[in-house]
Amino acid sequence: MREIKRLPESELEIMQIIWASPAPVSRMYIEEALQDVHPLAPTTILTLLTRLCEKGFLSLKKEGRTNLYEPLVQEKEYLAAESRSFLDKLFHGSVASFATALCDSGVTKEELEELRRLLEKGEL
């Protein structure tokens, strides 16, 4: 697995919009998606998009006066890297320690049963 840098919350928010949308995505589309949740100035969105391009998360294609962005890192790939990093940092890579903490966290029996079924199927 290639190394994927952890994104700051503001950049991750932009990526989540892009991952959930059909590619390519314009700045205006992102601005509209953020409007109800966390409105940002157009210049701030452009700055975040530029950073994401520089970090290799997005590609930029110009179409007239519009910049269109497509993900170069898929959401599943990012989540896998973040999960491994989380496991390594907090639990020293121990899945058993993570499972113990999960059980102690108030997770319901139904949720644990669902997790067990997923693990048995190999869908995780």
Side-chain angles (χ1 to χ4, degrees):
M1 179 189 305
R2 69 179 168 145
E3 185 180 336
I4 298 174
K5 292 182 180 181
R6 184 169 199 279
L7 294 175
E9 193 171 324
S10 56
E11 292 174 14
L12 179 57
E13 188 174 26
I14 298 292
M15 285 304 299
Q16 288 173 324
I17 291 168
I18 292 170
W19 284 324
S21 308
V25 177
S26 68
R27 181 215 32 99
M28 187 64 121
Y29 180 90
I30 294 167
E31 186 177 342
E32 289 171 8
L34 286 170
Q35 201 61 29
D36 294 333
V37 183
H38 184 214
L40 294 174
T43 53
T44 303
I45 295 170
L46 283 173
T47 298
L48 294 171
L49 289 166
T50 299
R51 286 183 194 161
L52 287 164
C53 287
E54 290 170 354
K55 291 178 179 180
F57 277 83
L58 295 176
S59 68
L60 166 64
K61 177 181 163 190
K62 290 190 178 277
E63 197 171 277
R65 296 184 67 191
T66 303
N67 290 343
L68 298 175
Y69 301 90
E70 289 193 47
L72 295 174
V73 174
Q74 299 307 310
E75 184 176 26
K76 186 175 181 175
E77 186 180 9
Y78 182 77
L79 291 175
E82 278 296 287
S83 297
R84 174 44 65 185
S85 175
F86 173 81
L87 191 63
D88 290 344
K89 284 179 188 172
L90 269 64
F91 301 99
H92 306 288
S94 169
V95 175
S97 294
F98 171 69
T100 300
L102 188 61
C103 290
D104 293 341
S105 72
V107 173
T108 67
K109 287 184 180 186
E110 292 81 15
E111 291 169 321
L112 288 173
E113 182 60 30
E114 180 182 357
L115 179 59
R116 185 186 66 73
R117 282 193 304 272
L118 290 169
L119 288 169
E120 285 176 353
K121 284 183 177 179
E123 292 183 8
L124 290 179

